[in-house]
Amino acid sequence: MTDKIEHARLGEAYERLVHPTGLVILLFPKRCVTTYASLVVRYGAQDTAFRMDGREYKTPDGVAHFLEHKMFARPDGSNANELFSALGADANAWTDYDKTAYLFSTTEPADAALRTLIEFVSEPYFTRENVARERGIIREEIAMGEDDPWQTLYTRSMRAMYHCHGVRRKICGTPTSIGRITHQTLTLCYDAFYRPDNMYLIVCGDMDMMRVLAAVEEPLTAWAKRTASRPVASPIPVNEPPRLLRRRTVERGNVSQPLFRICWKDTTYMLDVASRVRHEIGMSILSEMLFCRAGGFYHELFEAGNISPSYSYECSTLDGHSPLSYHAVVGEADDPQLVFDFYCNYLKRVRQTGLSREDFERIRRVLYAGFVAQFDFPDDIAELLCEAEGDGRGLFDALDAIGSITFEEIEALFVHSFDEDMTVFSTMIPDKKTKEKQ
């Protein structure tokens, strides 16, 4: 049975169907030139420990990302990208902490590409030789990440905030962990998680559900038969302590100006979906109110010459079996300590003077308009559907939360947010060689 989820005010709707194989199919019918499709597995970089068939397994860091790479290999030595190219489609893939996605876009009829998407993800090809070759490629990717000072700063701050959560790990793994991944490791994790009832398919384009089902039915049914006898795996949730591991980190790197990252660990993140959505929206609005470039925090620092234009801020959440939430302010400054002190004093000042109701209304309207604008672009819709289904909520839930959230809710949220005792201050300063060059 297909559920149709509509939003009357927006005038948009999509369909959600649970296939007999367990695969969730999400279709957003839209008259547009390009069709986007994504097959998402609920398995990511954080899932290194799981239970299956009465046993516990611990795998090296980077397996989910390694799997993403190797899924494109074909027995004849070709690459799945070639299959999509022959159909007029562009294919890609990505790995996050809680999911891995395989996707394509095409301006041609998407039926054959949808079938190919199911076929290539359902038919892995791992050998000792092709895994060894890929190991070298991934090590190069890891080395590139290690040369990125912003990425290094991010990793240090996450490892200071969290004791044991999977976000402490690098998605690509490390040279050491990659060396421990074999074709048997990939087969174990593929069999554990790559099954239709642990995945969802998103299609956004000029198609109907009957046409989507006709394209995927045969390969999907064959895949389900192959996985029917496999034991079901379940990730082992972590018991993350609420306190910080450490409050300050300092790193030397190849930077001309010191970098900083100020992170607040949010321990009030809700477990139930409805509360979580309102919390996420509330934090997004509160973050804009406090840290936008037009606001007091950035403006005062920039006008005094204490911060560079390389400035950003973010509210990040991760759902699933081990949810988390944090807020970060990131930038460059000659004196990061001055910025951190200003950050702490600025928040104390706002607590005394109070938040602005006018700022709240303006930002809420902008956020609402920005969300609605994404429905003009099928790739944005597909991304919104991916996040919503992964979080266990409906596509329009966030929009409804933006429309109904109140200033009083934001005030209450601020009372429990940005506690200095739960804030990590991470910096990267120029190393000796960089200083000498200057």
Side-chain angles (χ1 to χ4, degrees):
M1 180 179 175
T2 302
D3 292 325
K4 188 173 183 179
I5 299 97
E6 301 178 88
H7 195 278
R9 184 175 180 183
L10 190 60
E12 300 281 7
Y14 68 100
E15 298 174 40
R16 185 180 189 275
L17 178 146
V18 181
H19 190 268
T21 61
L23 178 76
V24 174
I25 300 176
L26 301 152
L27 171 65
F28 198 106
K30 193 169 187 67
R31 296 291 297 272
C32 52
V33 174
T34 305
T35 298
Y36 289 83
S38 180
L39 182 60
V40 186
V41 56
R42 300 177 191 273
Y43 171 65
Q46 67 172 336
D47 300 318
T48 58
F50 56 92
R51 295 185 181 91
M52 186 171 65
D53 202 22
R55 294 179 56 189
E56 290 192 3
Y57 295 86
K58 181 71 174 74
T59 58
D61 292 350
V63 174
H65 175 258
F66 208 126
L67 262 175
E68 175 219 310
H69 274 235
K70 288 314 305 167
M71 288 305 303
F72 284 83
R74 301 291 88 202
D76 62 2
S78 65
N79 188 288
N81 279 309
E82 298 170 22
L83 301 175
F84 286 99
S85 294
L87 299 171
D90 293 320
N92 209 337
W94 51 262
T95 305
D96 205 342
Y97 287 106
D98 61 342
K99 62 177 75 75
T100 307
Y102 301 88
L103 55 143
F104 73 81
S105 63
T106 182
T107 56
E108 301 293 329
D111 310 67
L114 276 172
R115 180 187 177 97
T116 300
L117 181 63
I118 300 295
E119 287 177 337
F120 102 85
V121 176
S122 67
E123 298 171 354
Y125 179 65
F126 311 135
T127 67
R128 183 178 287 104
E129 292 74 20
N130 70 19
V131 168
R133 285 195 299 271
E134 200 68 39
R135 193 178 290 122
I137 295 171
I138 295 176
R139 280 180 172 150
E140 291 180 6
E141 187 175 344
I142 292 170
M144 290 174 61
E146 290 176 346
D147 289 338
D148 182 347
W150 295 104
Q151 181 63 38
T152 300
L153 189 65
Y154 165 82
T155 301
R156 294 295 182 269
S157 65
M158 299 305 284
R159 290 179 177 174
M161 265 196 296
Y162 295 99
H163 295 247
C164 54
H165 198 285
V167 293
R168 288 175 51 84
R169 306 182 183 96
K170 294 181 179 180
I171 289 176
C172 294
T174 66
T176 300
S177 70
I178 293 303
R180 294 166 49 210
I181 296 174
T182 66
H183 64 289
Q184 293 99 331
T185 312
L186 298 182
T187 299
L188 169 69
C189 294
Y190 178 89
D191 288 348
F193 294 101
Y194 278 64
R195 47 191 303 144
D197 55 2
N198 193 44
M199 307 180 82
Y200 50 98
L201 173 66
I202 297 164
V203 181
C204 182
D206 193 7
M207 297 186 76
D208 58 38
M209 186 62 82
M210 293 299 294
R211 188 172 155 195
V212 171
L213 290 172
V216 304
E217 186 69 33
E218 185 177 341
L220 185 57
T221 301
W223 187 9
K225 287 180 180 178
R226 293 195 297 272
T227 61
S229 60
R230 294 179 191 165
V232 177
S234 58
I236 300 175
V238 298
N239 185 21
E240 173 64 37
R243 64 186 184 281
L244 299 175
L245 184 60
R246 61 181 63 88
R247 293 181 60 178
R248 181 182 291 261
T249 72
V250 181
E251 186 86 7
R252 287 191 176 273
N254 185 22
V255 293
S256 58
Q257 185 179 26
L259 314 181
F260 68 86
R261 186 175 175 90
I262 304 170
C263 295
W264 170 66
K265 184 177 181 179
D266 184 358
T267 59
T268 64
Y269 198 47
M270 314 301 182
L271 291 178
D272 66 286
V273 175
S275 300
R276 222 164 49 214
V277 172
R278 295 192 79 81
H279 186 89
E280 290 177 23
I281 296 303
M283 281 304 304
S284 295
I285 293 174
L286 182 57
S287 177
E288 288 289 327
M289 293 174 69
L290 294 170
F291 301 111
C292 71
R293 286 176 177 266
F297 177 78
Y298 176 77
H299 181 74
E300 290 182 46
L301 284 170
F302 185 75
E303 287 298 306
N306 293 324
I307 196 171
S308 82
S310 297
Y311 164 81
S312 62
Y313 52 96
E314 61 174 320
C315 297
S316 292
T317 60
L318 183 68
D319 297 301
H321 57 81
S322 299
L324 64 78
S325 174
Y326 69 89
H327 183 273
V329 174
V330 188
E332 291 178 317
D334 290 331
D335 187 352
Q337 183 63 53
L338 182 151
V339 175
F340 181 70
D341 291 341
F342 184 86
Y343 171 91
C344 297
N345 291 329
Y346 170 77
L347 290 171
K348 289 176 183 176
R349 189 200 321 165
V350 177
R351 293 188 195 284
Q352 293 172 352
T353 59
L355 297 168
S356 164
R357 186 181 291 272
E358 290 74 20
D359 285 349
F360 162 75
E361 290 294 350
R362 174 179 55 81
I363 289 167
R364 187 176 68 85
R365 288 195 297 269
V366 170
L367 194 63
Y368 192 96
F371 194 99
V372 170
Q374 293 180 86
F375 286 86
D376 289 334
F377 306 98
D379 53 336
D380 286 348
I381 296 170
E383 184 176 341
L384 289 172
L385 274 170
C386 179
E387 292 303 315
E389 184 66 24
D391 297 348
R393 56 179 171 82
L395 175 61
F396 305 121
D397 291 358
L399 187 63
D400 291 337
I402 298 170
S404 63
I405 201 164
T406 65
F407 178 65
E408 288 70 27
E409 285 180 83
I410 303 300
E411 285 186 313
L413 184 61
F414 185 42
V415 170
H416 303 289
S417 301
F418 306 108
D419 180 356
E420 190 174 339
D421 291 334
M422 295 300 293
T423 301
V424 170
F425 177 41
S426 295
T427 58
M428 177 174 285
I429 58 178
D431 58 23
K432 292 181 180 179
K433 290 182 180 179
T434 305
K435 280 188 172 182
E436 290 171 359
K437 290 179 182 178
Q438 294 175 340

